[in-house]
Structure formats: C-alpha cells, structure tokens
Amino acid sequence: AQSVTQPDIHITVSEGASLELRCNYSYGATPYLFWYVQSPGQGLQLLLKYFSGDTLVQGIKGFEAEFKRSQSSFNLRKPSVHWSDAAEYFCAVGAEQTGANNLFFGTGTRLTVIP
Amino acid sequence: DSGVTQTPKHLITATGQRVTLRCSPRSGDLSVYWYQQSLDQGLQFLIQYYNGEERAKGNILERFSAQQFPDLHSELNLSSLELGDSALYFCASSLAGLTDTQYFGPGTRLTVL
C-alpha cells in the first residue's frame, strides 16, 4: 500500500535561511510524487511533481525537490526562504492503478518564517 | 485563483442532517476529485469521477455519495451527519489522469453541531 511520511510537523526558519522539508514514501513501483502548499484559508497549490527522468525537479516560487530512490525520499528545498512562504506543505504520492488514480497525502509540515 | 469553484464556502448543520456540496471544475478538465481534510485524519482522498463515471474510490463512507453531471460539475452528498464529519472538503479537477496537475478549489468548511 502507498504511504507518505512527513516527519516534521512544524519547522521554523529565519527569513533568508535555507529550507529543507522531508518526505519519505512507500510504494512498490516507481511513484508519482508531488509537493503541494496550502496557505491559511486557501486550497492546495501544486509546487512541483516528479514522474520520471531528471531526479532534481524545479518548481514554482523557487522550490526544488530531489527524488532519491535508494532512500525513498522526495525532499523539498529552497535556498532562501521569504516571509510569504509561511504555509503548510504536503507531500503526496500518486497511485495509478487500472482505471483509477488518486493521491495519498502526508500529514503536512507547517512552516513558520521569522523575520 | 485555480479556476475551480466550490459552494458553499461554509456550512453549519446539525447531526443527522443531509447536505450537498457543489464543485465546478476548471474549463476543459474532465476529472473531479473530492478530498476531506480534518485535524485527526489529515487530507484524505474520497472519490474521483472522470467524464461522468466513477473512476476511483478512497476512504469514502457509505453515508457519502457523489456524482458528476453532464456539464462536468460534481456534487458530494453527505447524509446522516455526525460530529466527526466536520471538516474541510476540497474538490480538485484535472484534465484526465494522475500525471495531469490537480487544481484545488478553496474548499467548503462543514461544521456539524
């Protein structure tokens, strides 16, 4: 069965500092991996996704993520955090089965940015 | 703005009641997904429709049902409501399958008293 683990419930970083949010997945085949961001009172917005190919994926808002099959990880990174990045971040794995496809989300990591 | 609209934004009702949540997908998207977000369960996939047909089912209770209409809008029906059904319900739409980006609506916050 598919599952996603985000070990950090809450992370606090200073504005301008680098950021890494961890995500580990469990899936039998090559997974489809996603990072979404949810700002307070908003729906989810896709930051980036990985299906195959280059394991370093660039996304919107200056985010990137690296797929490491050996570690079953898909960590999200940003070199310099802005105050507007404060939000909840969700990692998700996609399961494409015969005639069906859906996303399994992690529990999320809440990011606080301090000036 | 994702292009996905959900109504109503907020819904307050009593236990035992039935409610209907509505979702209009982005123009051109054929797939609609429903998710439930609660503090104890996190974000969970409920059900997916593709071009009017049910495509995938997740952790959807038997008291809940959904449908997608010919104009591609979708409705999620929740009946015999319980306190534990209080949550944020999101609709998302995509062109078709998993490799297509899912665009999320702003959600409907359901409070069951």
Side-chain angles (χ1 to χ4, degrees):
Chain A
Q2 306 83 2
S3 68
V4 178
T5 302
Q6 292 181 249
D8 304 306
I9 296 174
H10 188 198
I11 282 184
T12 300
V13 299
S14 299
E15 192 168 14
S18 63
L19 171 72
E20 183 169 30
L21 302 182
R22 295 183 291 165
C23 172
N24 292 96
Y25 67 89
S26 171
Y27 186 56
T30 298
Y32 297 156
L33 294 163
F34 307 79
W35 274 100
Y36 280 84
V37 61
Q38 184 180 24
S39 298
Q42 305 285 323
L44 280 75
Q45 181 184 23
L46 180 69
L47 287 175
L48 46 79
K49 57 188 176 182
Y50 172 80
F51 301 142
S52 63
D54 192 347
T55 56
L56 186 61
V57 181
Q58 301 298 319
I60 62 171
K61 305 185 182 191
F63 285 93
E64 66 178 27
E66 186 170 13
F67 171 61
K68 291 186 177 180
R69 183 188 301 275
S70 60
Q71 298 176 20
S72 297
S73 69
F74 189 57
N75 294 347
L76 182 72
R77 300 192 295 246
K78 186 168 184 176
S80 177
V81 169
H82 188 261
W83 64 266
S84 62
D85 293 324
E88 184 115 25
Y89 291 81
F90 292 92
C91 180
V93 61
E96 192 158 49
Q97 299 149 11
T98 304
N101 48 73
N102 53 66
L103 296 179
F104 294 87
F105 284 87
T107 49
T109 297
R110 180 169 298 280
L111 174 65
T112 297
V113 181
I114 54 178
Chain B
D1 184 2
S2 66
V4 178
T5 59
Q6 290 186 249
T7 55
K9 200 166 185 177
H10 300 279
L11 201 46
I12 300 174
T13 188
T15 54
Q17 296 298 303
R18 172 189 169 94
V19 297
T20 297
L21 313 183
R22 181 188 170 102
C23 168
S24 293
R26 289 190 330 146
S27 177
D29 285 355
L30 298 178
S31 274
V32 169
Y33 306 78
W34 286 98
Y35 293 89
Q36 179 195 59
Q37 186 178 36
S38 62
L39 283 174
D40 53 343
Q41 302 275 12
L43 193 57
Q44 290 200 92
F45 166 74
L46 295 178
I47 197 164
Q48 179 208 358
Y49 276 81
Y50 173 76
N51 204 20
E53 300 287 328
E54 181 183 303
R55 176 64 68 89
K57 249 183 178 176
N59 297 324
I60 188 165
L61 300 171
E62 284 193 15
R63 302 184 283 109
F64 296 0
S65 64
Q67 53 185 325
Q68 187 179 28
F69 294 87
D71 67 351
L72 300 177
H73 92 270
S74 178
E75 292 181 357
L76 179 67
N77 299 296
L78 315 176
S79 61
S80 302
L81 285 168
E82 302 175 0
L83 296 177
D85 298 327
S86 295
L88 201 48
Y89 290 85
F90 286 109
C91 166
S93 74
S94 73
L95 271 174
L98 195 57
T99 55
D100 299 312
T101 297
Q102 289 188 26
Y103 294 88
F104 281 73
T108 292
R109 182 167 295 282
L110 173 66
T111 302
V112 182
L113 301 175

